[in-house]
């Protein structure tokens, strides 16, 4: 949950909206789940509860959150990634720009390969090893409708487990830049099967403490994702 780190005072409202929107769109807080309690969330973001309420209200008006009152109330996520429709991918690319897509893919390659290498050189506690294995099992067992969220969780876990909030935030930012594009592609069975093999290779290299193999495995996986995007755009 490094996404929910302190924001800068000068742009507190805008950055709070950005952080919450990242957590929602990446599925860190999934559809139907509740954001952390107001007091806790305001403390984590380093903002006043007034600023937090304004940000939550903005996301409620935009259709991302539903605020419920009462004993079991709170801010609940109502956002679901839209099902892919013809033309969605091209429209998402138009909004982004082709040059920015290539830059986003390069950025993601750099930070995710780096995170895997760093984690492979880290002395992993039993708890951290089990967390990585759990995220791998969850993406392997995910239903198609929940696959992308679990895939994101696996990738973000690698960065989170390094213990570097800045690296975790960079990896989340890199994934968010291509999320709308990936959501515009149907979840394909053969691609999931291929990704499962690659995810297993990434996890194995990290758990074996082999940074070069970990970096290569992530690079191969991300090259496959980039090729899939380019294929659908061709």
């Amino acid at each position: 949950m490094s996404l929910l780190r302190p924001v800068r005072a000068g742009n507190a409202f805008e950055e709070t909206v950005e952080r919450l929107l990242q957590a929602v769109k990446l599925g860190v807080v999934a559809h139907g789940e509740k954001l952390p309690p107001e007091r806790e969330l305001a403390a984590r973001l380093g903002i006043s509860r007034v600023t937090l309420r304004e940000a939550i209200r903005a996301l409620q008006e935009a259709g991302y959150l539903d605020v419920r009152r009462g004993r079991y109330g709170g801010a609940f996520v109502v956002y679901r990634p839209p099902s892919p429709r013809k033309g969605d991918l091209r429209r998402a690319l138009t909004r982004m720009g082709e040059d920015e897509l290539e830059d986003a893919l390069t950025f993601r390659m750099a930070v995710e390969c780096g995170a895997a290498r760093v984690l492979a050189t880290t002395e992993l506690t039993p708890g951290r090893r089990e967390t990585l294995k759990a995220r791998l099992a969850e993406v392997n067992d995910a239903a198609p409708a929940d696959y992308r969220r679990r895939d994101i969780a696996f990738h973000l876990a690698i960065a989170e487990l390094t213990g570097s909030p800045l690296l975790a935030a960079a990896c989340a930012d890199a994934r968010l830049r291509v999320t709308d594009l990936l959501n515009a592609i149907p979840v394909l069975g053969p691609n999931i099967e291929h990704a499962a093999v690659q995810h297993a290779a990434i996890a194995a290299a990290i758990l074996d403490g082999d940074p070069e193999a970990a970096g290569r495995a992530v690079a191969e996986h991300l090259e496959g994702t980039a090729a899939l995007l380019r294929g659908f755009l061709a």
Side-chain angles (χ1 to χ4, degrees):
M1 293 287 282
S2 293
L3 289 176
L4 303 179
R5 66 194 187 281
V7 303
R8 292 172 293 185
N11 299 301
F13 169 75
E14 292 81 2
E15 288 198 21
T16 299
V17 170
E18 179 186 21
R19 300 282 166 79
L20 295 180
L21 195 53
Q22 284 181 329
V24 169
K25 293 193 74 173
L26 291 176
V28 174
V29 186
H31 176 84
E33 292 182 353
K34 184 168 65 172
L35 292 179
E38 186 179 278
R39 185 187 302 275
E40 174 189 337
L41 191 51
R44 290 174 69 167
L45 293 168
I47 57 174
S48 70
R49 295 172 75 173
V50 171
T51 298
L52 177 60
R53 287 170 191 156
E54 289 174 347
I56 288 175
R57 186 180 303 114
L59 291 179
Q60 180 183 25
E61 292 172 355
Y64 290 94
L65 299 174
D66 177 34
V67 178
R68 305 171 194 169
R69 304 301 177 188
R71 182 178 179 183
Y72 301 105
F76 291 82
V77 174
V78 293
Y79 169 79
R80 288 184 190 270
S83 299
R85 297 170 301 175
K86 185 177 181 181
D88 280 355
L89 182 58
R90 181 58 61 179
R91 284 189 288 272
L93 179 63
T94 298
R95 289 193 299 271
M96 170 184 270
E98 292 192 27
D99 289 343
E100 189 171 338
L101 170 60
E102 292 303 318
D103 191 23
L105 294 173
T106 300
F107 176 48
R108 188 182 179 201
M109 180 71 74
V111 296
E112 290 208 21
C113 288
R117 290 191 181 99
V118 169
L119 189 58
T121 63
T122 301
E123 187 73 30
L124 294 177
T125 64
R128 290 188 175 191
R129 297 176 73 88
E130 288 307 311
T131 295
L132 182 60
K133 291 177 183 178
R135 296 295 89 78
L136 177 62
E138 287 165 2
V139 69
N140 285 341
D141 295 339
D146 199 36
Y147 179 78
R148 289 239 160 82
R149 185 173 74 88
R150 295 299 186 182
D151 176 64
I152 290 170
F154 172 74
H155 284 269
L156 293 189
I158 292 171
E160 290 274 357
L161 290 170
T162 66
S164 169
L166 288 176
L167 184 53
C171 288
D173 182 34
R175 177 57 185 249
L176 189 65
R177 290 173 186 272
V178 296
T179 289
D180 287 345
L181 294 168
L182 294 176
N183 285 342
I185 296 175
V187 176
L188 306 172
N191 177 241
I192 290 177
E193 293 172 5
H194 192 201
V197 174
Q198 295 172 331
H199 286 155
I202 294 168
I206 290 170
L207 294 171
D208 288 344
D210 189 337
E212 293 307 314
R216 285 195 305 270
V218 172
E220 180 182 343
H221 178 54
L222 297 186
E223 284 166 2
T225 301
L228 192 66
L229 273 174
R230 294 186 184 109
F232 272 96
L233 287 166

